[in-house]
């Protein structure tokens, strides 16, 4: 059951991820979403710094949506599959498929809350002669260098103990999992999905060499939180992002 057709990549953050089941008239769209010549693949979350060459097939938990999502498999577009598909990706795939009569595949490689720099190779960012980019990279390097995993663990243990004591003083039942102090050493900023280059390495890296028709991009909000400097930064970085994806 293999098809020849056009494949499009969906990139960006939560507005690209946002599934069909939650949009206006989504239930009506889902009920009629029987398109055996539309295929869907959602890339699991992953980060760098090393480029990834593959990804697992799994049901991945989302803290944002509070549920699991099927990822890592190609699926035919059915009502069940479409319900979890990017609403933007579904609307695009359906319209293009019906207009062109060509099989359409969509690969959703988006992640909520991400910035443009994480979707851009770190080497390309370092090559940009721009003060805003240089300042952003320097800030990340400082945060990585200053991270103290042992100090972070000690703070978390103290916070947990204070929380437990407060709950007991109020007469509240303490969940069993909170009675045990944290013991894991967290990697800190180096494992942040917004670390420059990390989402490109982790989620676009596995697609390297795969022929696609084009990319749909829906991102920018997290960069906008920096105000006007974020706008100027975005204008410099986005063209590099797209050039890297094309390559």
């Amino acid at each position: 059951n293999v098809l020849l057709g056009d494949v499009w990549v969906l990139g960006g953050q939560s507005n690209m991820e946002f599934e069909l089941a939650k949009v206006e008239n989504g239930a009506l769209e889902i009920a009629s979403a029987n398109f055996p010549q539309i295929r869907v693949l959602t890339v699991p979350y992953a980060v760098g710094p090393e480029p990834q060459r593959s990804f697992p097939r799994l049901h991945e938990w989302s803290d944002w949506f509070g549920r699991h999502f099927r990822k890592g498999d190609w699926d035919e577009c059915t009502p069940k599959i479409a319900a979890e598909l990017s609403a933007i990706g579904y609307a695009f795939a359906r319209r293009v498929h019906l207009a062109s009569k060509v099989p359409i595949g969509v690969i959703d490689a988006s992640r909520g809350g991400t910035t443009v720099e994480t979707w851009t190779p770190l080497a390309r960012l370092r090559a940009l002669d721009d003060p805003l980019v240089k300042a952003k990279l320097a800030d990340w390097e400082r945060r990585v260098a200053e991270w103290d995993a042992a100090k972070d663990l000690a703070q978390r243990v103290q916070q947990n103990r204070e929380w437990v004591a407060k709950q007991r003083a109020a007469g509240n039942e303490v969940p069993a999992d909170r009675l045990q102090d944290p013991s894991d050493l967290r990697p800190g900023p180096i494992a942040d999905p917004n670390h420059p280059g990390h989402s490109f390495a982790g989620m676009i890296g596995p697609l390297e060499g795969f022929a696609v028709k084009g990319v749909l991009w829906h991102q920018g909000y997290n960069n906008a939180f920096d105000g006007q400097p974020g706008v100027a930064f975005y204008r410099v970085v986005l063209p590099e992002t797209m050039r890297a994806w094309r390559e």
Side-chain angles (χ1 to χ4, degrees):
N1 194 14
V2 177
L3 301 177
L4 296 177
D6 294 333
V7 178
W8 295 78
V9 174
L10 313 177
Q13 55 182 113
S14 56
N15 277 32
M16 180 60 85
E17 278 190 301
F18 200 78
E19 69 267 34
L20 186 59
K22 292 185 177 178
V23 301
E24 185 176 4
N25 295 322
L28 181 61
E29 295 288 355
I30 291 167
S32 59
N34 284 294
F35 293 102
Q37 290 197 345
I38 294 178
R39 303 294 167 87
V40 181
L41 169 65
T42 301
V43 178
Y45 290 161
V47 298
E50 296 303 318
Q52 303 298 309
R53 295 304 175 207
S54 63
F55 45 77
R57 302 162 68 182
L58 77 167
H59 284 78
E60 185 175 78
W61 174 257
S62 167
D63 287 332
W64 182 265
F65 293 110
R67 52 163 299 185
H68 288 89
F69 287 88
R70 177 178 166 86
K71 295 187 177 182
D73 279 290
W74 278 111
D75 289 302
E76 287 189 12
C77 183
T78 64
K80 180 180 179 181
I81 294 299
E84 295 189 0
L85 174 62
S86 156
I88 293 171
Y90 171 77
F92 176 82
R94 183 197 61 191
R95 292 178 183 179
V96 170
H97 171 57
L98 292 176
S100 67
K101 308 302 182 185
V102 170
I104 298 294
V106 287
I107 300 176
D108 186 352
S110 56
R111 182 167 188 170
T114 48
T115 54
V116 70
E117 60 268 24
T118 191
W119 295 107
T120 314
L122 182 56
R124 295 190 80 114
L125 293 169
R126 287 174 172 163
L128 290 173
D129 186 18
D130 180 87
L132 291 171
V133 175
K134 291 180 181 296
K136 177 78 72 173
L137 295 178
D139 180 62
W140 275 102
E141 289 171 0
R142 175 191 59 79
R143 290 163 59 189
V144 170
E146 292 177 353
W147 176 254
D148 187 329
K151 182 178 178 181
D152 169 71
L153 177 58
Q155 290 176 340
R156 289 158 54 213
V157 168
Q158 181 64 26
Q159 290 170 354
N160 186 64
R161 291 177 179 177
E162 291 175 354
W163 184 88
V164 169
K166 184 177 180 180
Q167 295 303 309
R168 283 175 169 167
N172 297 327
E173 184 177 350
V174 179
D177 63 330
R178 293 301 297 267
L179 293 173
Q180 189 77 22
D181 285 335
S183 59
D184 60 310
L185 293 175
R186 299 192 297 189
I190 194 63
D192 193 313
N194 272 330
H195 187 291
H198 273 26
S199 290
F200 179 89
M203 297 179 67
I204 304 303
L207 307 182
E208 183 177 352
F210 191 81
V212 299
K213 188 74 169 179
V215 171
L216 281 71
W217 180 256
H218 198 339
Q219 189 275 331
Y221 316 104
N222 273 56
N223 289 100
F225 292 144
D226 289 339
Q228 188 60 34
V231 175
F233 177 91
Y234 200 83
R235 181 173 181 173
V236 171
V237 173
L238 184 62
E240 290 300 317
T241 308
M242 291 299 107
R243 277 192 279 268
W245 283 39
R246 290 187 181 108
E247 290 174 9

